[in-house]
Amino acid sequence: MAAMAKHTKSLQTESQEDSTTSAPVVSDPGSPLSSDTAAAEAAELNLSNHFLIAMPSLQDPVFAGAVVYLCEHNSRGAMGLVINRPTDLNVAGLFDRIDLKLENIPDSHPMGKHAVMFGGPVQDDRGFVLHAPAGQYTSSLKVTTELAFTTSRDVLEAVAAGDGPEKVLISVGYAGWGAGQLEKELLANSWLTVPAQTDILFELPVEERYQAAIRLLGIDPWMLTAEAGHA
């Protein structure tokens, strides 16, 4: 396992560089929506702290059936973590790989058994941590007053020592979109959007997160069809 990423501020640039391969471009290349128009809409639309829920029409192998928590969204693009794609690695196994020991959290503790998520295809050899409360760590992006996205190792060291954040979601990799790209996908009805809830992020079993996110829209999952519009 490679070391944790060092600088949060670099992620936005990296997501733009990798966006052509890291996220599905599902809009028609001949769409009348110009990049300038999409960028202008991006400046007005801020979906940070929202869930993206993949529509049935989105058949990309990475994002089909996915729920993405958006950590950042602005005119330069968007980035977030897929929260319902568990890897075969749990937290205790991850800590072993990066030479950390769960000092105050034995292997039998639920924290050690939590699955590490596949957060997305960008930098999928690095670890990323979504956690609450936000705390003070070397490289963190504060998403809300209580929730932060941290790329520095010190947050995992705090967890291992037993004095880290109470709620933690750890992933390898993240999902990134370049300027205007997510807006095009929303116009193509590839995603539903809804304000996020932390209980779905941290408490709900992984296999229940997709349906729970859909229910936040006030609809039953079986009502969702490929033709439905975005929220």
Side-chain angles (χ1 to χ4, degrees):
M1 173 86 182
M4 296 285 286
K6 294 182 179 179
H7 299 292
T8 302
K9 65 181 180 181
S10 68
L11 295 180
Q12 188 65 65
T13 301
E14 289 162 351
S15 70
Q16 293 175 36
E17 292 173 350
D18 293 327
S19 63
T20 56
T21 57
S22 65
V25 182
V26 295
S27 55
D28 182 353
S31 169
L33 181 66
S34 69
S35 58
D36 289 343
T37 301
E41 291 192 3
E44 299 175 358
L45 182 65
N46 184 350
L47 293 176
S48 300
N49 195 38
H50 278 61
F51 289 137
L52 294 180
I53 307 166
M55 289 288 290
S57 59
L58 184 55
Q59 296 300 312
D60 181 274
V62 174
F63 292 103
V67 180
V68 179
Y69 176 76
L70 281 182
C71 302
E72 186 175 33
H73 181 214
N74 53 42
S75 61
R76 295 171 297 172
M79 61 168 293
L81 301 176
V82 178
I83 67 166
N84 64 332
R85 285 279 195 282
T87 68
D88 58 1
L89 186 67
N90 61 23
V91 172
L94 171 65
F95 279 30
D96 283 342
R97 292 191 182 189
I98 59 176
D99 298 324
L100 284 178
K101 184 177 180 182
L102 291 167
E103 299 288 352
N104 296 323
I105 303 178
D107 290 342
S108 60
H109 192 283
M111 172 68 77
K113 294 182 178 181
H114 286 176
V116 174
M117 295 294 110
F118 171 70
V122 184
Q123 293 192 359
D124 59 3
D125 60 343
R126 295 176 180 265
F128 303 92
V129 184
L130 189 66
H131 57 90
Q136 298 293 327
Y137 300 101
T138 303
S139 295
S140 280
L141 170 69
K142 185 174 286 188
V143 184
T144 70
T145 56
E146 287 296 316
L147 193 60
F149 173 77
T150 296
T151 64
S152 50
R153 180 185 171 97
D154 52 356
V155 66
L156 294 184
E157 292 173 342
V159 170
D163 58 1
E166 295 177 5
K167 299 177 180 179
V168 174
L169 185 150
I170 301 174
S171 78
V172 289
Y174 70 93
W177 291 261
Q181 184 180 1
L182 179 56
E183 287 69 30
K184 289 181 180 180
E185 294 182 12
L186 291 170
L187 288 173
N189 288 334
S190 297
W191 301 97
L192 293 165
T193 66
V194 66
Q197 288 189 358
T198 56
D199 60 334
I200 294 177
L201 281 171
F202 300 114
E203 299 172 20
L204 205 63
V206 172
E207 63 274 11
E208 297 179 18
R209 291 175 183 177
Y210 184 83
Q211 292 187 344
I214 293 173
R215 289 193 177 98
L216 293 178
L217 293 164
I219 60 176
D220 288 326
W222 63 268
M223 297 174 61
L224 191 61
T225 68
E227 289 76 27
H230 61 269

